Amino acid sequence: MFRTHNCGELTLKNLNEKVTLSGWVSVLRDKGFMIWIDVRDRYGITQLIIDEERSDKSLFETAKKLGREFVIQATGTVIERASKNPNIPTGEVEILIEKLEILNESKLPPFTIDDNTDGGEELRMQYRYLDLRRNPVKNKLIFRHKIAQEVRKYLSDKDFIEVETPVLIKSTPEGARDFVVPSRMNPGEFYALPQSPQTFKQLMMVGGLDKYFQIVKCFRDEDLRADRQPEFTQIDCEMAFVEQEDILEIFEGLTKHLLKSVHNVEIEKFPRMTYDEAMRKYGNDKPDIRFGMEFHELNELAKGKGFDIFDKEELVVGISAPTLNSYTRKDIDRLLEWMQRPQIGARGFVWVRVNEDGTFKSSADKFYSEQDLSAFAEKMNAKKGDLMILMAGKANDTRKQLSALRMELAERLGLRNPNEFAPLWVVDFPLLEFDEESNRWHAMHHPFTSPKPEDMDKLSIDPGEIRANAYDLVLNGNEIGGGSIRIYDRELQAQMFSLLGFTPEQAQEQFGFLMNAFQYGAPPHGGIAFGFDRLVSILDGSETIRDYIAFPKNNSGRDVMIDAPAAIDQMQLDELAINVVKK
Amino acid sequence: MFRTHNCGELTLKNLNEKVTLSGWVSVLRDKGFMIWIDVRDRYGITQLIIDEERSDKSLFETAKKLGREFVIQATGTVIERASKNPNIPTGEVEILIEKLEILNESKLPPFTIDDNTDGGEELRMQYRYLDLRRNPVKNKLIFRHKIAQEVRKYLSDKDFIEVETPVLIKSTPEGARDFVVPSRMNPGEFYALPQSPQTFKQLMMVGGLDKYFQIVKCFRDEDLRADRQPEFTQIDCEMAFVEQEDILEIFEGLTKHLLKSVHNVEIEKFPRMTYDEAMRKYGNDKPDIRFGMEFHELNELAKGKGFDIFDKEELVVGISAPTLNSYTRKDIDRLLEWMQRPQIGARGFVWVRVNEDGTFKSSADKFYSEQDLSAFAEKMNAKKGDLMILMAGKANDTRKQLSALRMELAERLGLRNPNEFAPLWVVDFPLLEFDEESNRWHAMHHPFTSPKPEDMDKLSIDPGEIRANAYDLVLNGNEIGGGSIRIYDRELQAQMFSLLGFTPEQAQEQFGFLMNAFQYGAPPHGGIAFGFDRLVSILDGSETIRDYIAFPKNNSGRDVMIDAPAAIDQMQLDELAINVVKK
């Protein structure tokens, strides 16, 4: 037996007990006549002691061979420490050891195994197995485990059953992003890896399983933007005989349960906002509502005063940033440069300082009187000390740019408090969006989303105006979940595919299995999926998904440590090539 | 809101309540003046009633349109039934309905949605979404969910943390069975899908996570023997600072917990048997010990009596089958034919009837006296009424054949009781087996398995005799789990790869990431993996894995319903072909 206790549990209660511990050498202090060894495992750190008076000489010989991260096993007696360490649970005791064995040696690690290590991100990722020994990393994985447990508990208690869906599936039209997997059993044919178990969960609803969930890996073969992984985990859920309200209620409950169990935070009722309102007030369909700085439209007040830029544009809109009238001209110029970077692409903005004495100073003083600016301030609810920023342009673009500015200023002002949790339901998404490039309609959510019944008559005449029974759950400005009520009528589903540019034959070939199923008593159903990686990191007050994955992939999709994908051997390549080419 | 209650919960307690139910039309009985509708959902069946006296005429019109599996919503009042059905929880009430809506129609289903349906296996699989509505299928999925929950609960309570490992990984030498996944991000390079997360869990032990588990999908691209799936689920576990005994204890505990929670069965202590003993006593490394019929070796008694076939062979071995002296010559001939099929390949056997009067009748009477046969019977512990069957040949082959016979006779005798649970640990597996075809040693478990310390000296001189710290958990003749104590020393691991025919360069290229990690303080560790699909089916008293998978694949690896893998579109194929060929 390697240990009687772990390194985090011995206290004064264990005084005089004979114990055996195993772990890693964390710290060594050698005073010649006395040696202290801090031995560490997942559960904590315990101090071992050897001294000339009480210990055998051979222990000194072994101890002198030790180095950082050596793996040791030590047996001894729990004694009270002379100088106690109140910062750790084991800090009142130490082990006077009588047996010490080196279980494995260690080369000098490339960085220290401390909460604040000297290893940079790249080095830590290369030696992820050493990084995992550090408390902050280990704790993130334990946190993730805990959230998964709580999700399963909550949903199981509500009669959901977790069902595994296939990973090797048929390729679907969003195929451009599918990973494909050649099949040796069926040469020339390919599986795809699922981007989500969407169609399977709908089939389960047709199959009467009523309430399904799964914490499941999904896959997307696309450019990996910062902190995005080609494989990601989803909490996937579906329910039969529900309307939107039923789903919002259950999953608002889940989110409350998590906030309560993890942070002891209680939130009464999550606010709701339509997509339209979110875009108008925040220029964003996942607004961070931990802080204000809402948009205010100024067309009526700002147009017709001779300021050409504002006069000719579709929309004049602004925000008022608290305390930022302290920004110098230089600060403002820098902010403008930041806005003009290609990622954001703003042309310019007008600023208005609200001075402490109630007067205004603006970059457009030539066109707007003190009275005009005062009217702006009133409309925008600006306070003394604020800096108002006004932009003009095409409505959509301008809102997007102003949204970026709003988030940036909030960051600078420290308004994005990671310990505050502000959930929000965004509802009534448009069903379709028109893609200029391909010159056709795309499903904003996916092709299985149901139009709102009251908008159904626009299906053939004004598709862009149809709202969907679709909803997103937003937490602190991050979309953590999204879902919809689904189509369950074969004809409506066929109509939808047609609207999206499928011929009836294409629709049948790709989704025949689902549309056929709809003919045999498909119940009304709907669901939601949470991005588990993101949910976990946001709940932990972080936005860095990668930290919560034991073996993340880097930006080119390679395992940070193992360097996959790797070339496979030539024989396999040849076989693949033959199969692919002969098809 | 689609329902106030589900179809399985209304009883006399709800008398006179106004309720709304939704579900599928299960049974319709139309007596003209009265119509009964059984409405079904996942939770049960409730009877609805319409009658001329109390119900609106329009309800009759709607009800007359209904057919089997139509989806309906009905509102009405809970009343007491005249003729009660004691077989279902809702059998004392019915709903006198006042509103009836057809939510969706259904074509006539190709088989009835009953516990015993008229649909054959193929039809049921093709319409799996209808099959899922049947109680036996639905209950199997719920059973699986429950087992997964109990596994997670047990392991989490014991400080294991569930960590997700990558699905897109680097290809390893067992690569012949790996599915490969071309990467668009890294043209010409491939991921592999994991056959197990073996190396990752070992890295986590190096990383100090101490106790890891995961219920995880694994993949194997190989011929699908009956009831085998290309994607399967594993309970994967690893622990640091453990010896074999620690692991057996924890996972014996897990298995006990499952048997207790699912069947209320308590088993004191699981028996253990060495691989060697299992092979000699049962000819099988996963013996079913629910019944006896153990092997008995007869070399000493049966040789030297002039029976050439027995005299010249390596091993004479037999079993005694209870009550089978009733077998006629014809029965025995048929049994022999069964044994001589190519799948088993026996050349022949000698039979000995133990008559009720204590005399014997044998197919080798010419060579063996009554006294000889009596000695056989004594050795084999044969009782009156038994049929002894003796075989001779090369030890390994003969044991295998006799094992097949033992299982077949047990089946015929009804000795494999699905409600009995007989777990068994098989330990001390050989580390290596020699493969004649490739003329080299193969790891019996995998290359990371540790030799037993006391056999270490045979490493260079007699590799076939080295026993491993490896163990299997067998339940009712099925291997449900297997694992080992791992190598954690870089040099020993290198030696093992060399023994398996790797050059040092190959070993480094394939497993450098693991061997490098061993240099930084790898702790002693070991683990186990359970075949979750098999575990679930065996615990449910079935050996048909496929029934416990929501969307199983058929023998050619296609989803039974969706018919994946499917050809992907030509553009993708071309792109793939280019990437593969240009490599």
Side-chain angles (χ1 to χ4, degrees), chain B residues 447-465:
Chain B
F448 314 107
T449 299
S450 169
K452 275 191 176 291
E454 60 268 36
D455 290 354
M456 212 71 105
D457 52 351
K458 299 174 188 153
L459 210 55
S460 45
I461 49 169
D462 197 356
E465 286 300 306

Side-chain angles (χ1 to χ4, degrees), chain B residues 95-132:
Chain B
I95 316 298
L96 178 66
I97 62 177
E98 57 209 43
K99 239 178 94 182
L100 177 63
E101 200 187 333
I102 297 175
L103 298 176
N104 212 345
E105 301 186 354
S106 175
K107 287 169 74 169
L108 190 67
F111 51 84
T112 56
I113 312 300
D114 286 329
D115 290 6
N116 296 305
T117 183
D118 52 354
E121 160 107 9
E122 204 172 327
L123 203 58
R124 290 197 295 106
M125 284 296 167
Q126 186 187 342
Y127 293 88
R128 184 66 163 169
Y129 46 89
L130 295 177
D131 201 27
L132 292 177

Side-chain angles (χ1 to χ4, degrees), chain A residues 70-117:
Chain A
F70 273 46
V71 186
I72 59 170
Q73 180 182 36
T75 300
T77 307
V78 181
I79 61 174
E80 189 166 358
R81 272 209 219 181
S83 69
K84 300 193 169 54
N85 177 352
N87 300 320
I88 58 173
T90 63
E92 299 193 302
V93 298
E94 59 192 354
I95 317 297
L96 178 66
I97 63 177
E98 57 208 43
K99 241 178 93 184
L100 176 64
E101 201 187 331
I102 297 175
L103 298 174
N104 212 346
E105 301 184 355
S106 174
K107 287 168 75 169
L108 190 69
F111 51 84
T112 55
I113 313 299
D114 287 328
D115 290 6
N116 297 304
T117 184

